Amino acid sequence: MIVKPTTIEGVYEIYPRVFEDERGYFLESFQLEKLREQGIDVPFVQDNQSFSKKGVLRGLHLQLPPYEQDKLIGVVWGSVIDVVVDVRPGSPTFGRWEAFRLDAREHKRLFVPKGMAHGFVTLEDTVFVYKCSEYYHPEAEGGIVWNDPALAIDWGTASPIVSAKDQQLPTFEEFCEKLLPKIKEFYAL
Ligand SMILES: Cc1cn([C@H]2C[C@H](O)[C@@H](COP(=O)(O)OP(=O)(O)O[C@H]3O[C@H](C)C(=O)[C@H](O)[C@H]3O)O2)c(=O)[nH]c1=O
């Protein structure tokens, strides 16, 4: 397993060792001891899986305190552009986003710590899987609208398929006005 830091502190690209033979391939998609050796030690409690047709954009989502989630993300069929936005109060990279191509043929995983708004857009029909370190709490759902003008995220498409719910997510400015204070209050910042 190779773990590479990214431009956002705490976000890592993870390259599992892939064993290929005449039958196909094998890899360890999750191995806690090896992650711990790399400083990634979170209590994953829930696995999620979604299928999205080509051109679907899900996000940007996060769960607010006290139910924030670390995520270990992978694409097992298809490919996506995956985006994380740092919304941790006081982070030196607050408001920065980074995009990562995840392709089932390359097996790369992505570790996304708490405090990140997260989303992806599919480049083809895709099965997306991820481990979460906190259970689903709909009452704690937060997010930022995908095409926020201040973040100006380059998704590679101007007309993705987005749910009505996600189209109505707050802008980054509204997030900072209404939700960031709650996060700061939780951390007594
Ligand atoms: C996230 C979640 C959803 N649900 C139910 C709630 C809805 O009835 C249905 C679809 O939920 P939603 O439209 O929020 O699913 P996504 O748009 O894929 O949400 C995810 O999208 C981005 C990419 C993320 O990173 C988040 O983990 C997650 O919010 O599944 C559950 O029962 N449990 C869950 O953990």
Side-chain angles (χ1 to χ4, degrees):
M1 174 191 293
I2 296 173
V3 176
K4 290 184 178 179
T6 67
T7 66
I8 300 179
E9 182 191 353
V11 177
Y12 297 100
E13 292 178 300
I14 299 172
Y15 298 81
R17 185 177 175 189
V18 182
F19 300 89
E20 293 185 296
D21 61 26
E22 66 282 359
R23 299 167 298 170
Y25 75 82
F26 174 91
L27 61 85
E28 294 177 348
S29 53
F30 169 67
Q31 214 277 20
L32 183 55
E33 187 177 52
K34 289 178 181 171
L35 287 175
R36 281 176 172 160
E37 290 168 2
Q38 303 283 345
I40 299 173
D41 186 1
V42 298
F44 291 113
V45 296
Q46 178 175 316
D47 280 4
N48 291 341
Q49 176 173 322
S50 64
F51 167 76
S52 300
K53 299 171 188 172
K54 179 179 180 180
V56 164
L57 191 152
R58 296 177 184 255
L60 295 153
H61 301 155
L62 77 163
Q63 287 198 165
L64 299 171
Y67 302 116
E68 295 171 292
Q69 298 170 312
D70 304 276
K71 297 170 186 170
L72 180 59
I73 289 162
V75 167
V76 295
W77 188 266
S79 55
V80 305
I81 298 297
D82 193 281
V83 173
V84 298
V85 184
D86 186 352
V87 292
R88 296 170 296 193
S91 167
T93 51
F94 180 81
R96 176 185 292 177
W97 62 269
E98 187 168 353
F100 305 88
R101 180 186 167 96
L102 300 178
D103 187 317
R105 305 160 190 87
E106 297 166 2
H107 312 300
K108 178 170 72 175
R109 291 318 194 257
L110 194 64
F111 177 77
V112 179
K114 294 175 181 175
M116 298 289 151
H118 173 253
F120 65 86
V121 65
T122 59
L123 303 175
E124 57 190 307
D125 288 1
T126 292
V127 178
F128 190 86
V129 296
Y130 54 107
K131 306 182 81 68
C132 302
S133 64
E134 182 52 76
Y135 297 110
Y136 176 57
H137 284 270
E139 73 278 14
E141 279 188 325
I144 299 167
V145 69
W146 68 277
N147 57 352
D148 177 78
L151 294 175
I153 295 168
D154 179 7
W155 294 96
T157 174
S159 54
I161 301 167
V162 181
S163 68
K165 177 182 169 188
D166 283 356
Q167 286 286 19
Q168 295 162 16
L169 286 168
T171 63
F172 184 52
E173 183 179 1
E174 290 165 340
F175 173 88
C176 290
E177 283 172 13
K178 298 171 184 172
L179 295 179
L180 197 57
K182 294 180 181 179
I183 298 174
K184 288 182 177 178
E185 182 184 347
F186 179 79
Y187 288 106
L189 294 173

